[in-house]
Amino acid sequence: STLTLIDCVVSGNAATNPTVGGGAGIYSGGGALILGRNVQVTSNTAKGVGGGIYITAGTLTMQRDSLLFDNIAEASGGGIYIDDATVTLATSSRVQENAASDFGGGIFNRGGTVIVEAGAGAGSSFPDSDYEVVGARIVSVEDVWATADRSELSVDLMRHDDAAPSGVRGHR
């Protein structure tokens, strides 16, 4: 099944149980989730992972002008926590100013795939967080791809931080 959101705001939600996952703004446990034009996922807080979005075993497509902003996870994945799913960020979609106490203030990718469409430098952004976190932009245990044809993004996925969990490769 597919859920498509258009012209809406998902804001001010809280996932308060740290042992049951997260996804304070949106939890997607399979199928396809599409954030269409003018969708904002903002100001959501998870005690666990995935302050803005927690996605597992499915797909998330952030289309033009969709925004994940100011979401917080007290574990990993302030903006998006990816667990064995595929996430595509279209040009002019934004993941910015999210925070995580552990890893991946913007995006934490655990066993999934992140595809950043052409124009990522100008359109999609992963600016550093105002919070003191490790890997405020993307932390990935799998590959990050630059385009749908899967040509690899030019990032240093082998950078290691002693505070990172075992096996984590990070991009800052």
Side-chain angles (χ1 to χ4, degrees), residues 11-71:
S11 181
N13 299 291
T16 58
N17 188 336
T19 61
V20 205
I26 299 171
Y27 174 86
S28 178
L33 172 61
I34 299 170
L35 302 186
R37 70 177 183 279
N38 300 318
V39 173
Q40 294 182 18
V41 179
T42 182
S43 303
N44 300 289
T45 304
K47 289 277 187 188
V49 298
I53 298 174
Y54 181 120
I55 181 161
T56 182
T59 63
L60 165 63
T61 302
M62 288 183 61
Q63 295 180 342
R64 295 175 85 72
D65 301 320
S66 56
L67 171 67
L68 266 77
F69 176 78
D70 194 33
N71 298 288

Side-chain angles (χ1 to χ4, degrees), residues 69-146:
F69 176 78
D70 194 33
N71 298 288
I72 299 171
E74 291 187 14
S76 297
I80 306 171
Y81 186 92
I82 303 163
D83 185 4
D84 196 26
T86 298
V87 173
T88 302
L89 304 174
T91 301
S92 83
S93 63
R94 293 174 302 178
V95 177
Q96 70 183 69
E97 296 183 35
N98 298 283
S101 296
D102 290 336
F103 304 99
I107 297 173
F108 186 89
N109 178 23
R110 180 181 173 271
T113 300
V114 178
I115 300 168
V116 181
E117 292 185 350
S124 298
S125 60
F126 307 96
D128 289 325
S129 169
D130 292 334
Y131 299 87
E132 185 171 330
V133 297
V134 176
R137 295 179 182 190
I138 301 174
V139 171
S140 181
V141 294
E142 296 297 331
D143 291 323
V144 178
W145 302 99

